[in-house]
Amino acid sequence: MIPDFLALVGDAADGYPGLEGIGLVSAARLLGRYGPLESFPPEALGKRRELALLFKNLATLRTDARLFDNVEALRWHGPTKAFEMCVIQLNDARLLTRALKARSS
């Protein structure tokens, strides 16, 4: 029920605001009355139901996500061509210079 609670009240650390007008107490009451968000009657959240379900999805810890086969896959090899294009679009050559310097460190 923690993801349900966080979906309603928000989680600043993870960057989603929760539903406006629902605080700690009202979230606890709603969850106590209806259970998980999927069990809420349509009138409980109205048009905000889909947003609440999105926030619940974001608040749900995933333990089955495939990450990588080998820790070496995480090694940074420097800026890519895509990064170079981004630097050009941002018109800030210092970013590329710093990235190239970091690669050689």
Side-chain angles (χ1 to χ4, degrees):
M1 288 276 255
I2 291 174
D4 299 271
F5 182 77
L6 293 175
L8 295 172
V9 300
D11 187 354
D14 287 328
Y16 52 90
L19 301 182
E20 188 175 327
I22 297 182
L24 302 174
V25 174
S26 56
R29 284 186 183 146
L30 286 167
L31 292 169
R33 183 173 184 183
Y34 301 119
L37 292 176
E38 294 81 3
S39 299
F40 280 33
E43 64 275 4
L45 297 176
K47 294 179 180 180
R48 303 181 299 171
R49 182 177 193 276
E50 291 304 314
L51 189 58
L53 291 172
L54 170 64
F55 292 158
K56 178 179 179 175
N57 187 29
L58 293 172
T60 301
L61 179 64
R62 304 282 181 240
T63 59
D64 60 346
R66 183 162 183 228
L67 300 177
F68 50 86
D69 293 323
N70 183 329
V71 72
E72 188 61 29
L74 298 175
R75 184 177 303 277
W76 185 64
H77 298 286
T80 63
K81 273 290 189 200
F83 181 76
E84 291 181 39
M85 296 304 300
C86 182
V87 166
I88 291 169
Q89 289 177 344
L90 293 171
N91 195 26
D92 191 348
R94 297 173 300 166
L95 293 173
L96 184 56
T97 302
R98 290 175 65 191
L100 291 169
K101 184 177 178 181
R103 177 187 65 189
S104 61
S105 300

